[in-house]
Amino acid sequence: MSMITERPASSPAGHPARAAEGPVARRDVRAVLLAYVALTKPRIVELLLVTTIPAMMLAERGLPSLWLMAVVLIGGSLAAGAASVLNCYIDRDIDQLMRRTKRRPLPAHTVSPRNALIFGLVLAVVSVALMAAFTNLLAAGLTLAAIAYYDLVYTLWLKRSTPTNTFWGGACGAAPVLIGWAAVTGSLAPAAWGLFAVVFFWQMPHFYPLAMKYKDDYARAGIPMLPVVASTRRVNAEILIFAWLTVLTSLAVWPLGLSAIYGVPTLVVGAIFVVEAHRLCRRATRGEAVKPMRLFHWSTTYLTIVFVAVALDALI
């Protein structure tokens, strides 16, 4: 049966393609919209918000106003999205060389570099303006500083020039804790800096396993991630050092206004986190097959549980 005989009666004869124009156009629009969303790296945005809201609750010693929480959630999401979009724009040359990233919207030519740059800048301006208008200048300034540091200092410079890039870039991922706290109080207390330190140290044992898995990808792109340029012994040492620092710092936050509601689960998941780090390093030292993503995924679970404990402690 020919395609022409199946067209709707209302379709003009001789133009069989018109019947498909609507669905095809809708699919194209949907694909482009999804590509713009993908540029913002939603999973990273989710993880950042997991640390922001509990920090706000601890600063308030309860539940902040829903309005303030909504503003910080929206502003923080836009800021994190802006930083990720601009990161994709800057890294478009290396993303096309890595198997893990070559399907991102820019290497795949779903979105043009110019449009991605405009999109990222618009998100950045809106996020900072929103924070300035509805929270305070400290929170807005920290938001702007986090975006600028991540894209101009980390992505454009540190990532491509030094194997310590993950360490120095850690401040960006930990910034939402300070931003959330500042939005509530207009200042920064020792507990805020303590939670900042937890997220800062956490990023090394969180990211190094990912870099181990995609070591060849980073080497192909010329990115000097630690597992690419350093020995297994050096990588193991840093994973263990920073895993222990993460757990010890999380426990050091306990006396800063938190109770056993926070301390007990943090102690338990911290012990599991350290055990998993040692297990990975032991297998790597022995030359056995390692499963780096096990520690990567567990580290995410660890951080989530710690900050859920912060939120529960603040409420109860």
mmCIF file of all heavy atoms in Angstrom, residues 130-181:
data_model
loop_
_atom_site.group_PDB
_atom_site.id
_atom_site.type_symbol
_atom_site.label_atom_id
_atom_site.label_comp_id
_atom_site.label_asym_id
_atom_site.label_seq_id
_atom_site.Cartn_x
_atom_site.Cartn_y
_atom_site.Cartn_z
ATOM 1 N N LEU A 130 18.387 37.350 40.639
ATOM 2 C CA LEU A 130 17.352 36.791 41.509
ATOM 3 C C LEU A 130 17.830 36.729 42.957
ATOM 4 O O LEU A 130 17.108 37.120 43.882
ATOM 5 C CB LEU A 130 16.979 35.393 41.021
ATOM 6 C CG LEU A 130 15.755 34.717 41.637
ATOM 7 C CD1 LEU A 130 14.489 35.487 41.293
ATOM 8 C CD2 LEU A 130 15.641 33.279 41.142
ATOM 9 N N MET A 131 19.060 36.268 43.148
ATOM 10 C CA MET A 131 19.607 36.193 44.503
ATOM 11 C C MET A 131 19.792 37.582 45.105
ATOM 12 O O MET A 131 19.529 37.793 46.296
ATOM 13 C CB MET A 131 20.936 35.436 44.481
ATOM 14 C CG MET A 131 20.831 33.987 44.031
ATOM 15 S SD MET A 131 19.888 32.931 45.142
ATOM 16 C CE MET A 131 21.082 32.702 46.451
ATOM 17 N N ALA A 132 20.239 38.525 44.298
ATOM 18 C CA ALA A 132 20.454 39.889 44.798
ATOM 19 C C ALA A 132 19.135 40.556 45.175
ATOM 20 O O ALA A 132 19.042 41.279 46.169
ATOM 21 C CB ALA A 132 21.191 40.722 43.753
ATOM 22 N N ALA A 133 18.107 40.314 44.365
ATOM 23 C CA ALA A 133 16.826 40.982 44.587
ATOM 24 C C ALA A 133 16.054 40.404 45.770
ATOM 25 O O ALA A 133 15.362 41.137 46.490
ATOM 26 C CB ALA A 133 15.974 40.899 43.320
ATOM 27 N N PHE A 134 16.176 39.102 45.997
ATOM 28 C CA PHE A 134 15.288 38.465 46.975
ATOM 29 C C PHE A 134 15.998 37.801 48.160
ATOM 30 O O PHE A 134 15.328 37.286 49.056
ATOM 31 C CB PHE A 134 14.407 37.431 46.262
ATOM 32 C CG PHE A 134 13.499 38.028 45.233
ATOM 33 C CD1 PHE A 134 13.749 37.857 43.885
ATOM 34 C CD2 PHE A 134 12.408 38.789 45.615
ATOM 35 C CE1 PHE A 134 12.921 38.413 42.918
ATOM 36 C CE2 PHE A 134 11.567 39.350 44.669
ATOM 37 C CZ PHE A 134 11.826 39.172 43.317
ATOM 38 N N THR A 135 17.345 37.793 48.176
ATOM 39 C CA THR A 135 18.046 37.305 49.372
ATOM 40 C C THR A 135 18.897 38.436 49.929
ATOM 41 O O THR A 135 18.385 39.307 50.601
ATOM 42 C CB THR A 135 18.891 36.044 49.060
ATOM 43 O OG1 THR A 135 19.905 36.339 48.084
ATOM 44 C CG2 THR A 135 18.007 34.918 48.524
ATOM 45 N N ASN A 136 20.185 38.425 49.657
ATOM 46 C CA ASN A 136 21.057 39.514 50.104
ATOM 47 C C ASN A 136 22.307 39.547 49.237
ATOM 48 O O ASN A 136 22.553 38.629 48.444
ATOM 49 C CB ASN A 136 21.407 39.363 51.589
ATOM 50 C CG ASN A 136 21.989 37.991 51.903
ATOM 51 O OD1 ASN A 136 23.074 37.643 51.433
ATOM 52 N ND2 ASN A 136 21.268 37.203 52.699
ATOM 53 N N LEU A 137 23.087 40.601 49.398
ATOM 54 C CA LEU A 137 24.251 40.791 48.532
ATOM 55 C C LEU A 137 25.338 39.755 48.776
ATOM 56 O O LEU A 137 26.074 39.398 47.857
ATOM 57 C CB LEU A 137 24.818 42.202 48.723
ATOM 58 C CG LEU A 137 23.920 43.344 48.232
ATOM 59 C CD1 LEU A 137 24.608 44.691 48.448
ATOM 60 C CD2 LEU A 137 23.578 43.170 46.749
ATOM 61 N N LEU A 138 25.458 39.249 50.008
ATOM 62 C CA LEU A 138 26.473 38.227 50.279
ATOM 63 C C LEU A 138 26.144 36.955 49.503
ATOM 64 O O LEU A 138 27.026 36.373 48.846
ATOM 65 C CB LEU A 138 26.553 37.928 51.777
ATOM 66 C CG LEU A 138 27.522 36.813 52.179
ATOM 67 C CD1 LEU A 138 28.952 37.132 51.728
ATOM 68 C CD2 LEU A 138 27.478 36.574 53.694
ATOM 69 N N ALA A 139 24.895 36.519 49.564
ATOM 70 C CA ALA A 139 24.490 35.314 48.830
ATOM 71 C C ALA A 139 24.645 35.516 47.327
ATOM 72 O O ALA A 139 25.109 34.621 46.605
ATOM 73 C CB ALA A 139 23.054 34.946 49.172
ATOM 74 N N ALA A 140 24.273 36.701 46.841
ATOM 75 C CA ALA A 140 24.402 36.982 45.410
ATOM 76 C C ALA A 140 25.872 37.029 44.990
ATOM 77 O O ALA A 140 26.253 36.509 43.928
ATOM 78 C CB ALA A 140 23.716 38.311 45.080
ATOM 79 N N GLY A 141 26.709 37.632 45.823
ATOM 80 C CA GLY A 141 28.134 37.707 45.509
ATOM 81 C C GLY A 141 28.787 36.336 45.485
ATOM 82 O O GLY A 141 29.626 36.044 44.615
ATOM 83 N N LEU A 142 28.401 35.483 46.433
ATOM 84 C CA LEU A 142 28.931 34.121 46.453
ATOM 85 C C LEU A 142 28.473 33.337 45.231
ATOM 86 O O LEU A 142 29.228 32.529 44.670
ATOM 87 C CB LEU A 142 28.492 33.405 47.727
ATOM 88 C CG LEU A 142 29.137 33.878 49.035
ATOM 89 C CD1 LEU A 142 28.428 33.267 50.236
ATOM 90 C CD2 LEU A 142 30.634 33.521 49.060
ATOM 91 N N THR A 143 27.242 33.578 44.800
ATOM 92 C CA THR A 143 26.714 32.911 43.602
ATOM 93 C C THR A 143 27.520 33.304 42.375
ATOM 94 O O THR A 143 27.940 32.449 41.577
ATOM 95 C CB THR A 143 25.229 33.269 43.396
ATOM 96 O OG1 THR A 143 24.481 32.865 44.545
ATOM 97 C CG2 THR A 143 24.671 32.586 42.162
ATOM 98 N N LEU A 144 27.752 34.606 42.213
ATOM 99 C CA LEU A 144 28.543 35.090 41.079
ATOM 100 C C LEU A 144 29.961 34.555 41.140
ATOM 101 O O LEU A 144 30.521 34.114 40.121
ATOM 102 C CB LEU A 144 28.557 36.624 41.080
ATOM 103 C CG LEU A 144 29.412 37.291 39.995
ATOM 104 C CD1 LEU A 144 28.941 36.902 38.601
ATOM 105 C CD2 LEU A 144 29.382 38.811 40.166
ATOM 106 N N ALA A 145 30.560 34.567 42.326
ATOM 107 C CA ALA A 145 31.937 34.092 42.481
ATOM 108 C C ALA A 145 32.047 32.607 42.142
ATOM 109 O O ALA A 145 33.023 32.174 41.515
ATOM 110 C CB ALA A 145 32.413 34.338 43.911
ATOM 111 N N ALA A 146 31.043 31.813 42.523
ATOM 112 C CA ALA A 146 31.076 30.373 42.250
ATOM 113 C C ALA A 146 31.023 30.102 40.751
ATOM 114 O O ALA A 146 31.762 29.256 40.231
ATOM 115 C CB ALA A 146 29.916 29.679 42.950
ATOM 116 N N ILE A 147 30.156 30.821 40.040
ATOM 117 C CA ILE A 147 30.060 30.641 38.585
ATOM 118 C C ILE A 147 31.369 31.041 37.917
ATOM 119 O O ILE A 147 31.915 30.315 37.067
ATOM 120 C CB ILE A 147 28.901 31.474 38.011
ATOM 121 C CG1 ILE A 147 27.560 30.997 38.572
ATOM 122 C CG2 ILE A 147 28.894 31.400 36.482
ATOM 123 C CD1 ILE A 147 26.391 31.896 38.213
ATOM 124 N N ALA A 148 31.894 32.214 38.286
ATOM 125 C CA ALA A 148 33.128 32.717 37.672
ATOM 126 C C ALA A 148 34.306 31.796 37.972
ATOM 127 O O ALA A 148 35.123 31.495 37.077
ATOM 128 C CB ALA A 148 33.411 34.134 38.167
ATOM 129 N N TYR A 149 34.404 31.330 39.203
ATOM 130 C CA TYR A 149 35.533 30.469 39.574
ATOM 131 C C TYR A 149 35.479 29.146 38.821
ATOM 132 O O TYR A 149 36.493 28.663 38.303
ATOM 133 C CB TYR A 149 35.521 30.224 41.082
ATOM 134 C CG TYR A 149 36.746 29.482 41.585
ATOM 135 C CD1 TYR A 149 37.876 30.172 41.995
ATOM 136 C CD2 TYR A 149 36.771 28.086 41.641
ATOM 137 C CE1 TYR A 149 39.007 29.501 42.451
ATOM 138 C CE2 TYR A 149 37.887 27.401 42.095
ATOM 139 C CZ TYR A 149 39.002 28.117 42.495
ATOM 140 O OH TYR A 149 40.120 27.441 42.932
ATOM 141 N N TYR A 150 34.283 28.566 38.744
ATOM 142 C CA TYR A 150 34.153 27.267 38.089
ATOM 143 C C TYR A 150 34.512 27.346 36.608
ATOM 144 O O TYR A 150 35.220 26.485 36.081
ATOM 145 C CB TYR A 150 32.724 26.745 38.242
ATOM 146 C CG TYR A 150 32.509 25.388 37.606
ATOM 147 C CD1 TYR A 150 33.084 24.239 38.149
ATOM 148 C CD2 TYR A 150 31.733 25.250 36.458
ATOM 149 C CE1 TYR A 150 32.891 22.993 37.569
ATOM 150 C CE2 TYR A 150 31.538 24.013 35.868
ATOM 151 C CZ TYR A 150 32.124 22.890 36.430
ATOM 152 O OH TYR A 150 31.945 21.661 35.839
ATOM 153 N N ASP A 151 34.049 28.383 35.941
ATOM 154 C CA ASP A 151 34.251 28.455 34.491
ATOM 155 C C ASP A 151 35.566 29.113 34.085
ATOM 156 O O ASP A 151 36.243 28.624 33.172
ATOM 157 C CB ASP A 151 33.078 29.201 33.846
ATOM 158 C CG ASP A 151 31.792 28.389 33.906
ATOM 159 O OD1 ASP A 151 31.832 27.204 33.541
ATOM 160 O OD2 ASP A 151 30.758 28.932 34.332
ATOM 161 N N LEU A 152 35.936 30.196 34.757
ATOM 162 C CA LEU A 152 37.133 30.928 34.341
ATOM 163 C C LEU A 152 38.410 30.397 34.981
ATOM 164 O O LEU A 152 39.465 30.379 34.349
ATOM 165 C CB LEU A 152 36.966 32.416 34.676
ATOM 166 C CG LEU A 152 35.781 33.112 33.998
ATOM 167 C CD1 LEU A 152 35.725 34.581 34.409
ATOM 168 C CD2 LEU A 152 35.857 32.981 32.481
ATOM 169 N N VAL A 153 38.317 29.959 36.235
ATOM 170 C CA VAL A 153 39.514 29.482 36.935
ATOM 171 C C VAL A 153 39.684 27.969 36.764
ATOM 172 O O VAL A 153 40.729 27.495 36.320
ATOM 173 C CB VAL A 153 39.479 29.867 38.428
ATOM 174 C CG1 VAL A 153 40.716 29.333 39.148
ATOM 175 C CG2 VAL A 153 39.394 31.379 38.585
ATOM 176 N N TYR A 154 38.619 27.217 37.093
ATOM 177 C CA TYR A 154 38.736 25.757 37.015
ATOM 178 C C TYR A 154 38.707 25.245 35.575
ATOM 179 O O TYR A 154 39.660 24.626 35.098
ATOM 180 C CB TYR A 154 37.632 25.091 37.821
ATOM 181 C CG TYR A 154 37.576 23.596 37.576
ATOM 182 C CD1 TYR A 154 38.542 22.749 38.118
ATOM 183 C CD2 TYR A 154 36.576 23.035 36.784
ATOM 184 C CE1 TYR A 154 38.514 21.382 37.873
ATOM 185 C CE2 TYR A 154 36.536 21.671 36.546
ATOM 186 C CZ TYR A 154 37.514 20.855 37.079
ATOM 187 O OH TYR A 154 37.488 19.502 36.816
ATOM 188 N N THR A 155 37.615 25.510 34.859
ATOM 189 C CA THR A 155 37.443 24.916 33.529
ATOM 190 C C THR A 155 38.462 25.441 32.523
ATOM 191 O O THR A 155 39.075 24.663 31.778
ATOM 192 C CB THR A 155 36.022 25.199 32.996
ATOM 193 O OG1 THR A 155 35.066 24.695 33.930
ATOM 194 C CG2 THR A 155 35.802 24.517 31.651
ATOM 195 N N LEU A 156 38.625 26.744 32.501
ATOM 196 C CA LEU A 156 39.486 27.349 31.479
ATOM 197 C C LEU A 156 40.969 27.196 31.781
ATOM 198 O O LEU A 156 41.791 27.110 30.864
ATOM 199 C CB LEU A 156 39.133 28.841 31.352
ATOM 200 C CG LEU A 156 39.582 29.565 30.080
ATOM 201 C CD1 LEU A 156 38.999 28.902 28.838
ATOM 202 C CD2 LEU A 156 39.156 31.022 30.130
ATOM 203 N N TRP A 157 41.329 27.114 33.069
ATOM 204 C CA TRP A 157 42.751 27.114 33.421
ATOM 205 C C TRP A 157 43.173 25.846 34.153
ATOM 206 O O TRP A 157 43.941 25.035 33.618
ATOM 207 C CB TRP A 157 43.061 28.351 34.274
ATOM 208 C CG TRP A 157 44.456 28.406 34.811
ATOM 209 C CD1 TRP A 157 45.598 27.983 34.181
ATOM 210 C CD2 TRP A 157 44.858 28.887 36.099
ATOM 211 N NE1 TRP A 157 46.700 28.178 35.002
ATOM 212 C CE2 TRP A 157 46.271 28.732 36.176
ATOM 213 C CE3 TRP A 157 44.172 29.438 37.178
ATOM 214 C CZ2 TRP A 157 46.987 29.110 37.313
ATOM 215 C CZ3 TRP A 157 44.889 29.820 38.295
ATOM 216 C CH2 TRP A 157 46.291 29.653 38.345
ATOM 217 N N LEU A 158 42.666 25.641 35.366
ATOM 218 C CA LEU A 158 43.175 24.558 36.202
ATOM 219 C C LEU A 158 42.971 23.181 35.585
ATOM 220 O O LEU A 158 43.872 22.335 35.617
ATOM 221 C CB LEU A 158 42.496 24.603 37.574
ATOM 222 C CG LEU A 158 42.801 25.828 38.439
ATOM 223 C CD1 LEU A 158 41.926 25.815 39.684
ATOM 224 C CD2 LEU A 158 44.274 25.855 38.829
ATOM 225 N N LYS A 159 41.805 22.923 35.042
ATOM 226 C CA LYS A 159 41.483 21.605 34.500
ATOM 227 C C LYS A 159 42.467 21.179 33.424
ATOM 228 O O LYS A 159 42.806 20.004 33.310
ATOM 229 C CB LYS A 159 40.060 21.608 33.935
ATOM 230 C CG LYS A 159 39.593 20.267 33.387
ATOM 231 C CD LYS A 159 38.146 20.346 32.932
ATOM 232 C CE LYS A 159 37.665 19.026 32.375
ATOM 233 N NZ LYS A 159 36.234 19.104 31.959
ATOM 234 N N ARG A 160 42.960 22.127 32.660
ATOM 235 C CA ARG A 160 43.823 21.819 31.526
ATOM 236 C C ARG A 160 45.309 21.925 31.854
ATOM 237 O O ARG A 160 46.143 21.607 31.003
ATOM 238 C CB ARG A 160 43.501 22.769 30.358
ATOM 239 C CG ARG A 160 42.074 22.626 29.838
ATOM 240 C CD ARG A 160 41.700 23.761 28.904
ATOM 241 N NE ARG A 160 40.317 23.646 28.451
ATOM 242 C CZ ARG A 160 39.951 23.317 27.214
ATOM 243 N NH1 ARG A 160 40.874 23.085 26.296
ATOM 244 N NH2 ARG A 160 38.682 23.228 26.889
ATOM 245 N N SER A 161 45.630 22.365 33.060
ATOM 246 C CA SER A 161 47.037 22.670 33.320
ATOM 247 C C SER A 161 47.668 21.941 34.503
ATOM 248 O O SER A 161 48.901 21.858 34.580
ATOM 249 C CB SER A 161 47.198 24.179 33.535
ATOM 250 O OG SER A 161 46.457 24.610 34.667
ATOM 251 N N THR A 162 46.870 21.412 35.429
ATOM 252 C CA THR A 162 47.471 20.820 36.632
ATOM 253 C C THR A 162 46.678 19.608 37.118
ATOM 254 O O THR A 162 45.441 19.619 37.072
ATOM 255 C CB THR A 162 47.548 21.852 37.776
ATOM 256 O OG1 THR A 162 47.985 21.204 38.980
ATOM 257 C CG2 THR A 162 46.210 22.512 38.015
ATOM 258 N N PRO A 163 47.366 18.570 37.581
ATOM 259 C CA PRO A 163 46.663 17.407 38.141
ATOM 260 C C PRO A 163 45.988 17.685 39.483
ATOM 261 O O PRO A 163 45.236 16.861 39.981
ATOM 262 C CB PRO A 163 47.771 16.365 38.290
ATOM 263 C CG PRO A 163 49.041 17.151 38.357
ATOM 264 C CD PRO A 163 48.823 18.350 37.493
ATOM 265 N N THR A 164 46.266 18.857 40.062
ATOM 266 C CA THR A 164 45.576 19.242 41.299
ATOM 267 C C THR A 164 44.268 19.975 41.006
ATOM 268 O O THR A 164 43.688 20.596 41.899
ATOM 269 C CB THR A 164 46.487 20.133 42.173
ATOM 270 O OG1 THR A 164 46.804 21.337 41.454
ATOM 271 C CG2 THR A 164 47.777 19.415 42.543
ATOM 272 N N ASN A 165 43.810 19.893 39.766
ATOM 273 C CA ASN A 165 42.609 20.633 39.369
ATOM 274 C C ASN A 165 41.377 20.253 40.197
ATOM 275 O O ASN A 165 40.571 21.114 40.543
ATOM 276 C CB ASN A 165 42.316 20.443 37.870
ATOM 277 C CG ASN A 165 42.312 18.984 37.452
ATOM 278 O OD1 ASN A 165 42.011 18.086 38.234
ATOM 279 N ND2 ASN A 165 42.656 18.735 36.202
ATOM 280 N N THR A 166 41.249 18.974 40.532
ATOM 281 C CA THR A 166 40.086 18.544 41.311
ATOM 282 C C THR A 166 40.089 19.174 42.698
ATOM 283 O O THR A 166 39.050 19.591 43.212
ATOM 284 C CB THR A 166 40.056 17.016 41.435
ATOM 285 O OG1 THR A 166 40.087 16.435 40.120
ATOM 286 C CG2 THR A 166 38.808 16.543 42.164
ATOM 287 N N PHE A 167 41.274 19.256 43.293
ATOM 288 C CA PHE A 167 41.386 19.862 44.621
ATOM 289 C C PHE A 167 40.988 21.337 44.579
ATOM 290 O O PHE A 167 40.118 21.778 45.343
ATOM 291 C CB PHE A 167 42.815 19.722 45.140
ATOM 292 C CG PHE A 167 43.044 20.390 46.469
ATOM 293 C CD1 PHE A 167 42.720 19.749 47.649
ATOM 294 C CD2 PHE A 167 43.586 21.674 46.534
ATOM 295 C CE1 PHE A 167 42.916 20.367 48.873
ATOM 296 C CE2 PHE A 167 43.783 22.308 47.747
ATOM 297 C CZ PHE A 167 43.456 21.654 48.924
ATOM 298 N N TRP A 168 41.611 22.092 43.686
ATOM 299 C CA TRP A 168 41.342 23.526 43.631
ATOM 300 C C TRP A 168 39.934 23.820 43.119
ATOM 301 O O TRP A 168 39.341 24.839 43.465
ATOM 302 C CB TRP A 168 42.392 24.232 42.769
ATOM 303 C CG TRP A 168 43.761 24.161 43.360
ATOM 304 C CD1 TRP A 168 44.836 23.467 42.885
ATOM 305 C CD2 TRP A 168 44.205 24.777 44.571
ATOM 306 N NE1 TRP A 168 45.922 23.605 43.710
ATOM 307 C CE2 TRP A 168 45.562 24.412 44.753
ATOM 308 C CE3 TRP A 168 43.588 25.597 45.522
ATOM 309 C CZ2 TRP A 168 46.305 24.846 45.850
ATOM 310 C CZ3 TRP A 168 44.339 26.026 46.610
ATOM 311 C CH2 TRP A 168 45.679 25.654 46.764
ATOM 312 N N GLY A 169 39.415 22.922 42.309
ATOM 313 C CA GLY A 169 38.052 23.120 41.818
ATOM 314 C C GLY A 169 36.992 22.745 42.829
ATOM 315 O O GLY A 169 35.803 23.024 42.627
ATOM 316 N N GLY A 170 37.409 22.118 43.936
ATOM 317 C CA GLY A 170 36.453 21.670 44.936
ATOM 318 C C GLY A 170 35.649 22.786 45.578
ATOM 319 O O GLY A 170 34.535 22.563 46.067
ATOM 320 N N ALA A 171 36.203 23.987 45.578
ATOM 321 C CA ALA A 171 35.497 25.116 46.194
ATOM 322 C C ALA A 171 34.178 25.404 45.486
ATOM 323 O O ALA A 171 33.211 25.852 46.121
ATOM 324 C CB ALA A 171 36.388 26.356 46.169
ATOM 325 N N CYS A 172 34.126 25.139 44.181
ATOM 326 C CA CYS A 172 32.896 25.417 43.426
ATOM 327 C C CYS A 172 31.757 24.508 43.878
ATOM 328 O O CYS A 172 30.638 24.968 44.116
ATOM 329 C CB CYS A 172 33.133 25.206 41.929
ATOM 330 S SG CYS A 172 34.563 26.064 41.267
ATOM 331 N N GLY A 173 32.060 23.219 44.005
ATOM 332 C CA GLY A 173 31.025 22.285 44.412
ATOM 333 C C GLY A 173 30.555 22.487 45.841
ATOM 334 O O GLY A 173 29.415 22.130 46.183
ATOM 335 N N ALA A 174 31.414 23.057 46.676
ATOM 336 C CA ALA A 174 31.058 23.276 48.077
ATOM 337 C C ALA A 174 30.397 24.634 48.305
ATOM 338 O O ALA A 174 29.819 24.872 49.371
ATOM 339 C CB ALA A 174 32.308 23.157 48.952
ATOM 340 N N ALA A 175 30.467 25.518 47.324
ATOM 341 C CA ALA A 175 29.935 26.876 47.480
ATOM 342 C C ALA A 175 28.444 26.927 47.813
ATOM 343 O O ALA A 175 28.020 27.810 48.574
ATOM 344 C CB ALA A 175 30.227 27.692 46.224
ATOM 345 N N PRO A 176 27.595 26.032 47.271
ATOM 346 C CA PRO A 176 26.162 26.125 47.603
ATOM 347 C C PRO A 176 25.859 26.070 49.092
ATOM 348 O O PRO A 176 24.850 26.640 49.535
ATOM 349 C CB PRO A 176 25.571 24.914 46.873
ATOM 350 C CG PRO A 176 26.457 24.724 45.698
ATOM 351 C CD PRO A 176 27.836 25.038 46.209
ATOM 352 N N VAL A 177 26.691 25.405 49.872
ATOM 353 C CA VAL A 177 26.492 25.378 51.323
ATOM 354 C C VAL A 177 26.582 26.797 51.882
ATOM 355 O O VAL A 177 25.728 27.232 52.673
ATOM 356 C CB VAL A 177 27.546 24.474 51.995
ATOM 357 C CG1 VAL A 177 27.462 24.598 53.507
ATOM 358 C CG2 VAL A 177 27.360 23.022 51.565
ATOM 359 N N LEU A 178 27.610 27.527 51.478
ATOM 360 C CA LEU A 178 27.784 28.906 51.953
ATOM 361 C C LEU A 178 26.686 29.815 51.425
ATOM 362 O O LEU A 178 26.198 30.702 52.137
ATOM 363 C CB LEU A 178 29.157 29.430 51.518
ATOM 364 C CG LEU A 178 30.385 28.661 52.009
ATOM 365 C CD1 LEU A 178 31.655 29.361 51.545
ATOM 366 C CD2 LEU A 178 30.375 28.516 53.526
ATOM 367 N N ILE A 179 26.299 29.599 50.164
ATOM 368 C CA ILE A 179 25.258 30.438 49.560
ATOM 369 C C ILE A 179 23.933 30.261 50.302
ATOM 370 O O ILE A 179 23.244 31.234 50.621
ATOM 371 C CB ILE A 179 25.092 30.094 48.067
ATOM 372 C CG1 ILE A 179 26.365 30.485 47.302
ATOM 373 C CG2 ILE A 179 23.879 30.804 47.477
ATOM 374 C CD1 ILE A 179 26.415 29.953 45.878
ATOM 375 N N GLY A 180 23.577 29.008 50.587
ATOM 376 C CA GLY A 180 22.336 28.753 51.311
ATOM 377 C C GLY A 180 22.349 29.348 52.704
ATOM 378 O O GLY A 180 21.361 29.948 53.152
ATOM 379 N N TRP A 181 23.481 29.192 53.393
ATOM 380 C CA TRP A 181 23.598 29.746 54.751
ATOM 381 C C TRP A 181 23.504 31.270 54.714
ATOM 382 O O TRP A 181 22.783 31.881 55.515
ATOM 383 C CB TRP A 181 24.928 29.318 55.358
ATOM 384 C CG TRP A 181 25.020 29.578 56.838
ATOM 385 C CD1 TRP A 181 25.176 30.790 57.454
ATOM 386 C CD2 TRP A 181 24.958 28.604 57.885
ATOM 387 N NE1 TRP A 181 25.219 30.643 58.813
ATOM 388 C CE2 TRP A 181 25.089 29.307 59.114
ATOM 389 C CE3 TRP A 181 24.818 27.220 57.910
ATOM 390 C CZ2 TRP A 181 25.077 28.658 60.349
ATOM 391 C CZ3 TRP A 181 24.804 26.572 59.143
ATOM 392 C CH2 TRP A 181 24.929 27.296 60.344
#
